[in-house]
Amino acid sequence: MEVYLDNNATTKVDEKVFEEMKPFFCEVYGNPNSLHSFASKSHSKMVEALDYLYDGIGAADEDDIIITSNATEANNWVVKSVWLDKILDGDKNHIITSEVEHPAITAACNFLETKGVEVTYLNVNAEGVLEAKVVEDAIKDDTALVSIMWANNETGKLFPIKEIGEICKAKGVLFHSDATQAIGKVTVDVQDANVDLMSFSAHKFHGPKGVGGLYIKKGVELTPHMHGGNQMDGRRAGTVDVASMIGMGKAMHLATNTMAIAYEKNHVGMLRDKLERAILKLPDTIVIGGTGNRTPNTTLISIKGVEGESMLWDLNQNGIGASTGSACASEELEANPVMNAFGSDSELAHTGIRFSLSRFNTEEQIDYAIKHITDAVHRLRNISSSYAYTPKNHHSEL
């Protein structure tokens, strides 16, 4: 059996999404910006896809949603455009973000630091959440941007986006949120949350890879990301990947309706909790950040005495895919940065395993995963030089 439990890294494309995309490769292939009938067939479907995107995140008609290649592109665009618009051409020189952001934000901010920009990286509390008051206290007269993720990609912890948005609005500071790990798992409403800018990627909610979006609130100005044409209101030139855009729209529609969110919360949450409870029956295991206030599909568990990479190797031999953290940093063998941010000791920071589920997981798969995770823990602890293994620590039933 194969069991995929790494859905925060990427998700399978829903077959309904694939079917929606297929005609736009070889049958309906006109450039949507042309004036002939070939173009109109593409254009009408693109409008439908955009409607799905607007509805999915609660955007107003006068707002913009710009199609990008992914959230990494959108994140970089926001950070670097703020540098161009408000720092180089303005009187501000300060950006606020958190220590647990996706590398697309932190690396872009690191780059701006080399250009003389002051960046404040706020730490999370013991539960892995950034408190709104901490953001408020960090804002200064020259703060140009606050960028805080909606949900953490490793722990699933939800941040107080609405409260932070209200603070930024009151202080006149631009507020951006990376909602890549939130869409399709919890309700995302950009108007209710007071965000000015928001990034997302289709492949995190069962859409195709290579396409994402940037929500831009009416009145927010960003330097165009690419020049050369009038596509996307002149903000991102270039012929749109029609098939991928249509696929993203369909995936958004399937993932964000009321029934879909309820299914994610109840069915997926139940499977996640079953898996988590079983692992926690093993001694010396903890959920990093605790079990409250998080997306229903994610758990980051530290298993003392078991190196994360060794655990993944064992699981992979039995057809189970999981992760030690962000896939964008998976080739790094350094300690998990999120666990370091929580203040975990050096040993625990190497032992985090992230399991992230989707609506395509089944209870049979979870039962299979529980058995092999348990076997792997016993085997690896038995040969570990850092963990005192005794027979009484062995749980034969979970």
Side-chain angles (χ1 to χ4, degrees), residues 103-228:
I105 289 292
T106 55
C109 287
N110 292 163
F111 167 73
L112 292 195
E113 286 184 289
T114 68
K115 304 300 179 182
V117 178
E118 180 187 0
V119 181
T120 298
Y121 301 91
L122 301 175
N123 207 345
V124 294
N125 62 23
E127 287 74 44
V129 176
L130 180 67
E131 298 171 3
K133 184 65 166 62
V134 175
V135 177
E136 184 175 24
D137 291 344
I139 293 175
K140 305 189 297 184
D141 290 341
D142 68 340
T143 300
L145 173 72
V146 171
S147 180
I148 304 296
M149 58 173 37
W150 202 298
N152 185 263
N153 49 304
E154 297 190 36
T155 63
K157 302 297 283 190
L158 296 166
F159 288 7
I161 296 302
K162 182 176 181 178
E163 193 175 350
I164 295 172
E166 290 171 349
I167 291 168
C168 291
K169 183 177 181 180
K171 291 182 175 289
V173 176
L174 204 62
F175 179 41
H176 165 257
S177 183
D178 179 352
T180 302
Q181 296 293 348
I183 290 176
K185 300 166 187 172
V186 296
T187 299
V188 170
D189 187 322
V190 292
Q191 295 186 76
D192 181 65
N194 291 308
V195 298
D196 298 303
L197 301 149
M198 190 186 77
S199 312
F200 55 92
S201 271
H203 76 105
K204 304 293 189 177
F205 49 89
H206 302 291
K209 296 175 179 63
V211 64
L214 176 64
Y215 160 80
I216 306 175
K217 186 176 182 178
K218 180 185 178 182
V220 174
E221 297 295 330
L222 288 182
T223 294
H225 182 44
M226 290 191 287
H227 298 85

